Amino acid sequence: MSPGAAPSSLTIRAQDRTTLREVHPQGRSRSGSVHELPQSVTDALIATEDQRFHYHPGIDPIALVRALWSNWRHGRIVSGGSTITMQVARLLREDPPRTIGNKLIEMHLALRLELRRSKQEILSLWLNRVSYGNRAHGIEAAAQLYFGKSTRDLTRAQAAYLIGLPRSPSRYNPFHHPNRAEQRQQDVLRAMQRHGALTPAEHERLTAIPIDPQSSSSTFRAPHLTRWLLQNRLSRPNAPLTEARTTIDPDLQEAVANLVHGHVEVFEGETLTNAAVVVLDNRTGAIRAYVGSADFWNDRHGGQNDGVRMLRQPGSTLKPFTYAHALASRRYTPASILADIELNVPEASGAFTPENYDQSYHGPTPLQQALASSFNVPAVRLTREFGPPALLERLHDFGFTSLDRPPSHYGVGLTLGNGEVQLIELARAYAGLARGGSLPPIHALKWMRTVNGDTLHARVPAPESANLSPDVAHLITSILDDPAARAPGFGRGGPLELPFPVAVKTGTSKDYRDNWTVGYTPRHTVAVWAGNFDGSPMDRMSGVSGAAPLFHSIMREVGSGGSFTRPSTLRSARICPASGKRPGTHCPAPQREWFLPGTVPSDTCTVHRLVAIDSRTGHRATSDTDPAWVDSTLYTVHPKRYHDWMQRHDVPLPPPAVHSASAPRPQPASIADRLRIQYPADGARFYVDPVLRRTYQKISLRGSAPDALRDVHWVIDGRRHASRVRDVTWRLAPGHHRIQLRGRHDGQIVRSAPVDVRVVATNARSHTAGRRRSP
């Protein structure tokens, strides 16, 4: 290869030929003649590096004497006294160590160069061979890299900017240290003025011109993915490649990258510094967007770490596979009642008592609600029943190869995400649910072209079975796509709801170190992680507040995939949600549910009971009670294991047949203790997006109140809000708010413990950057 010629390169492109990255094995190198360059380039070079260039024979004695004096005065080498010709000599010798012997060789070679080459040729050699950083060799390559233009079109300010970089390409790297690069440009402009290449007025004008080198992302898109491909798929020593075509959608990639960057900017004050996203095509397994961090060039927050492939604890995002295992066993249905009451689990490391995120128990809970609302206790109960080995095997079936420890290492905490997985594993597993139990082959390459012109098509493996029937996969999908089932845990109208069908699940790891939201339409799967690469916790930020808003914005970019197709083999039946059985005569709100064949309930609900009450005493009526005083009252009577929970949550049981006159009356103090706010939790933080409609940004207030209280109502910031304890919504407004429940007993006001929450308004640009029309 001739000096200055461009080595063979590899261009990695998106699916539509958009360049994602150019890889030059020996760096970017484009040669050009000094005669084609603007005069400002050579003026800047001579003023900065060798002001007597046109007057010496390759060695400048004055510069050498000055360098010797400066080095003696400082007691170390601070100047080499090298002329431009001597620097070219060193470049031709491939930059040997800086010793006295090598300096003498360079001086000898510089004299010979001056005899055989013109001054213009020597300048061309310098400009074409020095490094400008980021593997750019030659000023033409640097102009294309940093300004997207040829050197012929450089302004004087841009020429000065580029000439300043070779002094220390890493220190003045425009992508890593833009402020240092600008300061170096100012040094070059001052040198040009001292040398007479600029008048004071010109210097002042050029100094005021802002320099805006093009973003690294425009020349290095999808940096984490292209780096992974180069390390794992594109290394072919025997047949070097010139082009690789990927599956990346360039518009979606740019939109997702902008959204991730904007989202992290908004939440950085909340101790969230990074996020990662991968978007899959469910049908083919092709990667459509891949963002490994918020800013690849941000060294402070570890931007070159790849959040798509790092190992982190996934929190509750593994729960759907626990419930899929339970449904596949046919012991459970979506309507089955699970016990969300206190549970003590003996483990090898000690007793373990799981708690729900809202720090309360919800009693008898339908399976679909337990999963959609992400309650921890029912999931742990199922894992205890089936055993950690069975769940681990199920997770391995869904491709979680990162979970490589024995079941005893994880225990029942496996369902809560105490193992470590990759974001891309989660995306593939959820895409497997979208595909009815078939795991797609994840791939990012379509084909490659060698230097010989041969086209090599990437080998895409066949889909793999997750050993789960399409019927069970659809039941899980319908649960994750049900906002009503999700409401007890997350309320309505939050970032998990979109204007088209989306099955979605959030997760939060221990101590708020990781936030996750993973979801899918029939066409695409979107997986989002948010957190800090150094593992530091976030400020009480859960998946629904940290990762979910970003997921919402990205899923809107991806757009609707239509409706999920229900398998024809599923069976429909009306059931009572309180018991999971066929509705009885007195069931107040039966609903229709879908079941696997052979699992439709046949028993009738006995939870709802109509009891005759003597209205004069409040006790059960007897055969002697005058019918005029008999009232029929509907009670919800759950099995005995729930009676303690019912008492704590003021769910009344029918009075006993014989009333004891010595039974104590409830006192106001105990009544106040039983007036409680269940949601939101004290200290909770919520986020509102100015782009979303205000009707989307509400939470559901939940509380409990004893029957003895009258006029129970919510008070928010000192103002009466609503007169129901449950099913009350509150529209979020930025600021600090105090919420309280109040009621009356014997003429006195009874107050619950107050709850203080904070609502934060996010920056609109994190949700609007890169927006495009949905397909």
Side-chain angles (χ1 to χ4, degrees), residues 131-134 146 164-174 177:
S131 171
Y132 294 80
N134 295 297
Y146 298 123
L165 300 180
R167 175 66 61 89
S168 180
S170 59
R171 175 175 176 77
Y172 301 122
N173 190 319
H177 309 295

Side-chain angles (χ1 to χ4, degrees), residues 664-695:
R665 292 182 57 198
Q667 297 300 313
S670 64
I671 288 174
D673 291 339
R674 292 157 61 195
L675 182 63
R676 291 190 296 268
I677 296 176
Q678 298 170 335
Y679 185 83
D682 189 35
R685 181 173 290 142
F686 301 94
Y687 300 89
V688 293
D689 182 346
V691 175
L692 300 178
R693 294 202 302 266
R694 295 187 66 192
T695 54

Side-chain angles (χ1 to χ4, degrees), residues 49-50 63-64 67 79-87 90 103 106:
E49 298 293 337
D50 189 357
L64 286 174
S79 176
S82 293
T83 64
I84 289 176
T85 313
M86 291 172 64
Q87 293 178 42
R90 185 168 64 250
K103 175 70 72 173
E106 290 161 12

Side-chain angles (χ1 to χ4, degrees), residues 376-496:
N376 290 334
V377 178
V380 171
R381 287 185 184 275
L382 289 176
T383 307
R384 286 192 72 196
E385 178 181 340
F386 292 101
L391 176 57
L392 184 59
E393 182 178 358
R394 176 70 66 182
L395 291 169
H396 285 166
D397 287 342
F398 270 90
F400 290 101
T401 57
S402 297
L403 297 171
D404 55 2
R405 306 294 291 273
S408 58
H409 172 78
Y410 304 109
V412 296
L414 181 60
T415 190
L416 304 181
N418 67 356
E420 292 185 329
V421 304
Q422 296 177 333
L423 184 66
I424 199 163
E425 289 180 317
L426 277 170
R428 184 181 186 226
Y430 275 68
L433 291 173
R435 289 165 51 94
S438 170
L439 298 177
I442 303 301
H443 62 285
L445 273 180
K446 299 176 74 174
W447 52 262
M448 300 156 283
R449 185 166 290 136
T450 69
V451 291
N452 301 322
D454 297 326
T455 300
L456 308 176
H457 291 278
R459 188 182 67 85
V460 179
E464 297 179 15
S465 171
N467 295 319
L468 190 76
S469 73
D471 288 354
V472 175
H474 181 80
L475 291 179
I476 294 296
T477 295
S478 63
I479 291 171
L480 298 180
D481 181 35
D482 186 351
R486 194 186 304 128
F490 298 98
R492 292 299 305 270
L496 300 183

Side-chain angles (χ1 to χ4, degrees), residues 536-558:
S536 58
M538 292 166 283
D539 188 7
R540 290 185 59 83
M541 188 177 290
S542 66
V544 74
S545 57
L550 179 57
F551 171 88
H552 183 106
S553 299
I554 294 170
M555 191 55 87
R556 280 181 169 267
E557 290 288 340
V558 172

Side-chain angles (χ1 to χ4, degrees), residues 602-635:
S602 56
D603 295 338
T604 301
C605 174
T606 58
V607 167
H608 295 105
R609 305 176 189 177
L610 201 62
V611 180
I613 301 295
D614 188 329
S615 60
R616 295 169 299 179
T617 64
H619 304 150
R620 283 187 187 247
T622 66
S623 56
D624 297 329
T625 304
D626 187 334
W629 301 105
V630 175
D631 285 340
S632 294
T633 302
L634 183 65
Y635 287 89

